Amino acid sequence: MATSVFAQDQFKYTTIAHSGHHYCSPLSPDKAAELLAALQLPLDALVLDAGCGKAGLLRDLLKSQPVRGVGVDINPHFLAEAADAWAASNPGDERLTLIDSKAEHHSLPANGYDAILCVGSTHALGGFERCLAIFKQWLKPGGTLLMGEGYWKQGPSDKYLAVLGATEDELTSHAENAERAVAHGYRLRAMAASGDNEWDQ
């Protein structure tokens, strides 16, 4: 009798679902450009993208501003795609570092980060509240956080929650997300919400 062992690729379906997408979240190029322009980062700033996926947002930032970026994710397919795309469009540019690791296990720079991006990936560190607390420790004093989190546009019905396999307390409103960040000591600089067209795309 022959015995075979097959390894399941845990990232197979999310990789397929995000194929053809520059961002792994509902962002249009115009919305992303507005958000990145609002960061107002200093020359040579060090920026972390936690749960970066294909690092689409981080790569866009590096193309538009003279900063350095560290993208951390556990999906090797996304990281390979990001590395290939960066090398193809920016040959010889070594400002982007990609790390295959859980965000909380990557090596932190001694002086912290000037900015952190975490758009649509707060689950990578245990949720919105935990990210707010952890990033406060990882940022330099006066550092900037760009965070994207889901929210309820209206109170969800029991049927809706059943389809999602979710509970109502997993998300709050858009305004409450901002209030929670302020409660952690952040100063709100700008807010934006993904539109229906961005979700459709």
Side-chain angles (χ1 to χ4, degrees):
M1 178 178 78
T3 303
S4 299
V5 177
F6 297 94
Q8 174 67 37
D9 181 358
Q10 63 177 317
F11 304 110
K12 176 180 179 180
Y13 297 110
T14 189
T15 301
I16 292 171
H18 291 93
S19 63
H21 291 266
H22 183 67
Y23 310 115
C24 294
S25 55
L27 271 180
S28 66
D30 288 344
K31 178 76 65 60
E34 290 175 13
L35 292 169
L36 295 177
L39 291 179
Q40 303 171 4
L41 299 174
L43 180 69
D44 203 39
L46 183 60
V47 182
L48 169 68
D49 191 343
C52 68
K54 303 175 185 181
L57 197 60
L58 183 61
R59 289 185 281 124
D60 287 354
L61 176 62
L62 268 61
K63 289 178 183 178
S64 65
Q65 299 186 36
V67 299
R68 296 170 292 133
V70 177
V72 182
D73 203 278
I74 59 172
N75 186 327
H77 308 296
F78 285 165
L79 292 173
E81 184 174 337
D84 289 345
W86 180 254
S89 62
N90 302 275
D93 190 334
E94 298 181 355
R95 290 179 298 137
L96 177 64
T97 301
L98 297 168
I99 301 172
D100 186 347
S101 170
K102 290 185 177 181
E104 59 190 319
H105 295 159
H106 84 284
S107 297
L108 295 170
N111 297 321
Y113 289 104
D114 295 285
I116 296 176
L117 315 178
C118 186
V119 178
S121 54
T122 58
H123 57 277
L125 283 135
F128 187 64
E129 289 282 346
R130 189 158 186 268
C131 282
L132 290 171
I134 290 174
F135 295 155
K136 192 80 175 174
Q137 299 171 21
W138 292 1
L139 282 167
K140 294 179 180 179
T144 302
L145 174 62
L146 175 59
M147 194 122 116
E149 175 70 339
Y151 68 95
W152 298 125
K153 293 174 88 172
Q154 60 187 32
S157 68
D158 291 340
K159 288 183 179 179
Y160 186 76
L161 291 170
V163 169
L164 290 179
T167 57
E168 187 170 358
D169 61 358
E170 290 181 40
L171 299 175
T172 62
S173 71
H174 187 34
E176 286 174 305
N177 281 345
E179 291 168 2
R180 291 157 73 191
V182 170
H184 276 267
Y186 292 92
R187 180 173 57 84
L188 182 63
R189 184 184 292 174
M191 290 177 68
S194 297
D196 290 344
N197 287 342
E198 289 170 300
W199 279 104
D200 289 344
Q201 291 172 19

